[in-house]
Amino acid sequence: QLSSNEWLVRKARRVLHERATAGKLAKQSLDTLRKIKDTAPQVGQRLRATWTLLAIGQLTLEDTKSLLAADDVSLRAWGVRCAFASGEQNEKIGLVIGELLKRENSDFVLLHVASSLSRSPAHGSMVLELAKQLTGREPTNLTHIIWYRTADWLARDSRHAETVLSNVRHPAIRQNTVRFLLSGTRDQANQQLP
C-alpha cells in the first residue's frame, strides 16, 4: 500500500482480499495495514490502507473513529463513508458521527455525512445537527442535500417541523419547512423518491 505504482497497490489489495475470503490472511498483515492507516506520511497511503481494510472486512469501529479524528478532511470524509458502509446503523456509529458533527467545519465532510444519510435510515438528531450547522455561506449543493435529508425526516413525522423551525437558522431550510407543512406530506413534491 506504500508503493507509488497504483497497479501494484490494487493488485496487493486484491490478493489480500482473496486471502481474507479464504481465511488465510495473516494477523501481521492486519497490524501492518492499521499502522499504515494511522501513521503513513501521505494521505493517499493512509487512504489505501483504509480501503484495503474495508475491502477485506476488517475495518473496525476504532479504525473509523481514528479516521474521523484525523486532521485531513479527506480522511474524515472517508471515515464517514466507512462508518455508513457496513449497513449497520448501530447506536455507537450514530454517537460517533454525532460527535463529529458538533465540531466539524468542513463543507466537504458535511456533504459526505449528508449524502451517507441518504443510504441509511436517517437519524433525526444527525439531520437536525447538519441543518443547524448551515450558515448561508456554504455551497448550494450542501444546502440542498441537507434539505432533502430534512424533508425525508419530516415525511416520516411532520411533528419534527417545530424542532427544525426552532433550532435551524438557515432561511432556505426554514422556508422549505414551512412550505412542506403547508402543502402536506401527501404533496407529490414532498414524497420520497423510490
Side-chain angles (χ1 to χ4, degrees), residues 103-119:
R103 67 178 189 280
E104 187 57 59
N105 58 8
S106 164
D107 292 341
F108 182 68
V109 175
L110 294 175
L111 187 62
H112 276 75
V113 173
S115 63
S116 294
L117 285 173
S118 69
R119 294 187 299 269

Side-chain angles (χ1 to χ4, degrees), residues 14-189:
R14 185 180 61 82
V15 169
L16 289 171
H17 180 263
E18 290 170 357
R19 289 180 186 170
T21 303
K24 298 179 180 177
L25 186 66
K27 184 181 179 328
Q28 181 183 5
S29 298
L30 290 175
D31 295 339
T32 302
L33 285 170
R34 285 198 169 87
K35 183 177 179 184
I36 293 169
K37 178 190 68 66
D38 292 331
T39 63
Q42 296 177 10
V43 171
Q45 294 169 335
R46 294 175 71 183
L47 285 173
R48 289 172 176 171
T50 299
W51 297 332
T52 303
L53 287 167
L54 187 62
I56 63 177
Q58 294 296 320
L59 194 71
T60 65
L61 182 59
E62 292 305 315
D63 294 327
T64 301
K65 284 181 181 180
S66 72
L67 289 169
L68 294 172
D71 291 335
D72 186 81
V73 294
S74 297
L75 291 170
R76 290 197 311 274
W78 269 97
V80 168
R81 293 176 76 163
C82 292
F84 286 98
S86 67
E88 286 180 30
Q89 289 309 308
N90 63 36
E91 193 64 31
K92 290 180 182 176
I93 290 175
L95 291 173
V96 169
I97 298 295
E99 287 301 312
L100 171 74
L101 288 175
K102 290 178 183 172
R103 67 178 189 280
E104 187 57 59
N105 58 8
S106 164
D107 292 341
F108 182 68
V109 175
L110 294 175
L111 187 62
H112 276 75
V113 173
S115 63
S116 294
L117 285 173
S118 69
R119 294 187 299 269
S120 69
H123 296 282
S125 61
M126 284 190 227
V127 171
L128 183 60
E129 197 62 42
L130 275 169
K132 282 169 46 177
Q133 294 225 0
L134 295 176
T135 62
R137 293 186 299 268
E138 47 281 314
T140 305
N141 62 343
L142 179 59
T143 303
H144 285 171
I145 197 164
I146 291 175
W147 163 246
Y148 295 140
R149 298 296 70 77
T150 305
D152 290 345
W153 187 44
L154 294 174
R156 287 186 190 84
D157 187 351
S158 61
R159 293 176 293 184
H160 296 300
E162 182 181 347
T163 307
V164 171
L165 291 172
S166 63
N167 288 293
V168 177
R169 297 179 318 269
H170 195 281
I173 301 295
R174 293 175 63 84
Q175 181 181 24
N176 286 337
T177 300
V178 171
R179 285 180 179 165
F180 183 91
L181 288 172
L182 293 175
S183 65
T185 57
R186 294 177 120 352
D187 186 330
Q188 185 64 30

